Amino acid sequence: MSTTFTIQPGQFKLADLRAIWQKPFKLALAESAYAAINEASATIDRIVAKGDAAYGINTGFGKLAKTRIPDEDLELLQKNLILSHSVGSGELIADDVVRLIIAMKIASLARGFSGIRASVINTMIAAYNAGIMPAIPVKGSVGASGDLAPLSHMTLAIMGEGQVRVDGQMVDAKVALAKAGITPVVLAAKEGLALINGTQVSTALALNGLFLAERLLEAATITGALSVDAAKGSDAPFDPRIHAVRGQPGQIATANIYRTLLNGSEIRQSHLVNDERVQDPYCLRCQPQVMGACLDIINNAARTLLTEANAVTDNPLVFVDTNEVISGGNFHAEPVAFAADTLALAIAEIGSISERRIALLIDSSISGLPPFLVPSSGLNSGFMIAHVTAAALASENKSHAHPASVDTIPTSANQEDHVSMATFAGRRLHEMAHNTATIVGIELLAAAQGVDFHQPLKTSDKLTTVHQLLRSKVAFYDKDRFFAPDIEAAKSLVVEGALSAQCADLYGHLYLA
């Protein structure tokens, strides 16, 4: 972690969040943020000194808010809060998502509305920069009253409780902090609640889904264009006049990408005249309409998530200008749940139309290619069951795409009686994205196979570069062989962004910066 990223509270750009997700950076907090942090913390001290009851500062939590806590027990109150709320289950959240969680939590606390001491924020930064990643189970939040359980596991780390990951290895938090020369924090009034109220886990999981969805959209436009050439499809449906009269911005942008990808194809030139086909199936012809709509909802979700990444979402909030602490509900993650649900639609649809193109390519009666894309079919099964895998994953994604946000279940003795389910909404995007990446990877293999059958005719220069990248990893499928490693290699090109990197000039302008 040699490069340092300085957090300016409330000023994250999506490019910043993508960078933190992609690789570790050291974090720093802008010096200008500390004045607001210190003022809010001093306000909490004044409230405690005054002795008036204030939720989360000198009272119990949730249904126990009417229980007044003596001043001498306020530190114990915060410690008990974290210990009792650390009830997550399931696999641990991956480090790339944990980095987002911590960076966004630091930025939110540093806005100066949370009443937390600068020393606590500085400890979070020091632990992060030492490579100490909290062990946060992925399950256990309903996305309202904040991501209480997962953020409690995050907070355990700076308290020297529980376990953390260092260089991928599980270590006792107390040992990891000691080795890094970091003193565990003792939480003061309000601080535990400030740390665990908030939507940072839901938002980080949804951002992970967003960034993967962007890669899927890029890769699937490339494989879709390659499939057009493999099936000797027409580029006429990408004519800009068609898309201009509809006016949908994503459709216009993606149609331009397909035209650029196919420009100069010898395969296309070979069937411009005397082609008996009048129209291609929808999975080829309607790609701009489908992928453009996916692009639009990806960008809509990005706007919501960027706003949330810069937001203050704990409770209660400190307003130093009036010396007030006001209880509200910014921890309710409904905006994040809706954004994640729409991302699920996009991810599912990208995989769905890709699966249809695989089905087209293996069907010789439609594609004109050898049955199941292999010489000597019958003796060889070729892509027959690879398509079955794609179909299985596309079907699975249909179930995953059911909106999580329409569900709710009362918690905390009916005090928290409507919840967002945003954490699950964001969490399931990772599995969906990997399902779709596998489908698109299979399409890449199938489309490249189809293009190979048209030799010596060549596809366009851009698609030839993509084809060559694949062939550097996976040989032409001339006879049946162990197929799973080929699929995994192609999937990796999709999910890691290597495939779309071959055509990077086409995509950078598409997304919210």
Side-chain angles (χ1 to χ4, degrees):
M1 290 197 292
S2 56
T3 304
T4 298
F5 177 82
T6 300
I7 294 174
Q8 303 282 351
Q11 296 183 35
F12 275 132
K13 298 178 180 178
L14 273 176
D16 302 329
L17 297 167
R18 285 191 195 98
I20 292 168
W21 175 72
Q22 286 171 337
K23 62 180 181 180
F25 289 96
K26 287 188 179 294
L27 295 180
L29 182 61
E31 285 297 323
S32 59
Y34 284 97
I37 295 168
N38 293 334
E39 288 174 4
S41 179
T43 300
I44 298 297
D45 291 340
R46 287 192 294 271
I47 290 170
V48 171
K50 189 176 179 182
D52 292 343
Y55 173 70
I57 297 174
N58 51 19
T59 73
F61 309 103
K63 198 77 168 180
L64 303 174
K66 294 180 181 179
T67 304
R68 181 71 160 80
I69 308 298
D71 288 355
E72 61 269 22
D73 289 334
L74 295 185
E75 287 184 356
L76 180 59
L77 172 69
Q78 298 299 312
K79 181 178 181 179
N80 287 345
L81 172 71
I82 303 306
L83 294 174
S84 68
H85 284 48
S86 296
V87 293
S89 67
E91 296 179 358
L92 298 182
I93 298 176
D95 284 354
D96 52 0
V97 179
V98 173
R99 291 197 299 268
L100 286 171
I101 293 169
I102 295 173
M104 289 189 294
K105 175 54 80 173
I106 290 168
S108 178
L109 296 173
R111 291 275 304 272
F113 297 95
S114 302
I116 195 166
R117 290 168 296 164
S119 60
V120 178
I121 298 175
N122 290 339
T123 300
M124 294 179 70
I125 295 171
Y128 182 103
N129 289 344
I132 298 171
M133 293 287 105
I136 305 176
V138 74
K139 297 181 181 181
S141 174
V142 295
S145 200
D147 290 311
L148 294 172
L151 287 174
S152 293
H153 285 273
M154 178 201 74
T155 305
L156 284 177
I158 59 171
M159 295 169 59
E161 301 278 355
Q163 288 194 307
V164 296
R165 271 197 303 244
V166 180
D167 296 327
Q169 301 298 312
M170 297 298 293
V171 183
D172 286 342
K174 187 175 181 179
V175 172
L177 292 179
K179 187 174 181 180
I182 299 170
T183 302
V185 300
V186 177
L187 298 174
K190 172 70 169 66
E191 290 182 335
L193 196 58
L195 285 160
I196 70 172
N197 253 197
T199 63
Q200 287 77 29
V201 174
S202 299
T203 305
L205 291 167
L207 283 168
N208 176 69
L210 170 70
F211 300 148
L212 290 173
E214 291 172 348
R215 289 181 176 177
L216 294 171
L217 183 127
E218 294 167 5
T221 54
I222 291 169
T223 59
L226 198 62
S227 289
V228 170
D229 254 4
K232 286 192 171 181
S234 173
D235 58 358
F238 311 130
D239 188 302
R241 294 169 292 182
I242 294 172
H243 308 288
V245 298
R246 191 178 201 183
Q248 294 288 354
Q251 181 178 326
I252 292 168
T254 52
N256 180 61
I257 288 172
Y258 286 108
R259 287 195 305 275
T260 304
L261 286 170
L262 289 162
N263 184 45
S265 167
E266 293 178 3
I267 298 172
R268 176 55 182 145
Q269 291 297 319
S270 72
H271 61 97
L272 275 172
V273 295
N274 299 323
D275 194 330
E276 295 180 354
R277 295 170 297 181
V278 178
Q279 290 185 331
D280 292 325
Y282 288 179
C283 65
L284 298 182
R285 186 180 5 142
C286 296
Q287 290 185 77
Q289 288 79 5
V290 174
M291 301 299 282
C294 290
L295 172 61
D296 285 337
I297 64 171
I298 286 171
N299 279 332
N300 287 338
R303 292 183 186 92
T304 296
L305 297 176
L306 180 59
T307 298
E308 197 73 2
N310 284 306
V312 180
T313 55
D314 61 287
N315 179 65
L317 297 178
V318 181
F319 295 91
V320 299
D321 54 341
T322 57
N323 209 40
E324 289 181 283
V325 176
I326 303 176
S327 184
N330 280 358
F331 50 66
H332 199 295
E334 196 82 348
V336 179
F338 284 162
D341 281 347
T342 58
L343 286 171
L345 297 178
I347 291 169
E349 281 299 276
I350 291 168
S352 178
I353 195 170
S354 176
E355 180 274 326
R356 288 291 79 207
R357 291 191 294 268
I358 300 167
L360 180 153
L361 292 174
I362 66 172
D363 187 343
S364 59
S365 68
I366 304 174
S367 69
L369 295 166
F372 300 107
L373 298 173
V374 65
S376 304
S377 55
L379 175 63
N380 295 293
S381 295
F383 280 67
M384 181 188 296
I385 308 304
H387 169 248
V388 172
T389 294
L393 296 177
S395 181
E396 185 176 305
N397 273 355
K398 293 175 187 177
S399 295
H400 284 313
H402 184 278
S405 58
V406 300
D407 186 29
T408 183
I409 189 167
T411 61
S412 192
N414 284 310
Q415 175 76 2
E416 297 154 10
D417 58 353
H418 183 278
V419 299
S420 71
M421 296 300 177
T423 324
F424 168 65
R427 171 165 61 86
R428 98 305 202 161
L429 297 178
H430 189 82
E431 183 174 0
M432 291 184 69
H434 278 261
N435 285 347
T436 292
T438 302
I439 298 168
V440 175
I442 293 170
E443 183 191 0
L444 174 62
L445 294 167
Q449 189 82 356
V451 165
D452 282 334
F453 283 120
H454 296 313
Q455 290 179 353
L457 297 175
K458 295 181 179 179
T459 187
S460 69
D461 289 344
K462 282 189 176 292
L463 293 178
T464 294
T465 301
V466 169
H467 182 275
Q468 290 172 343
L469 172 66
L470 176 67
R471 285 290 173 251
S472 72
K473 309 287 184 182
V474 178
F476 177 76
Y477 197 97
D478 59 344
K479 59 184 178 182
D480 283 347
R481 62 178 186 242
F482 184 24
F483 209 159
D486 295 354
I487 294 172
E488 189 59 34
K491 175 196 171 182
S492 295
L493 293 177
V494 174
V495 78
E496 294 170 8
L499 187 66
S500 48
Q502 305 303 300
C503 306
D505 57 312
L506 297 180
Y507 297 104
H509 68 286
L510 291 181
Y511 309 118
L512 194 65

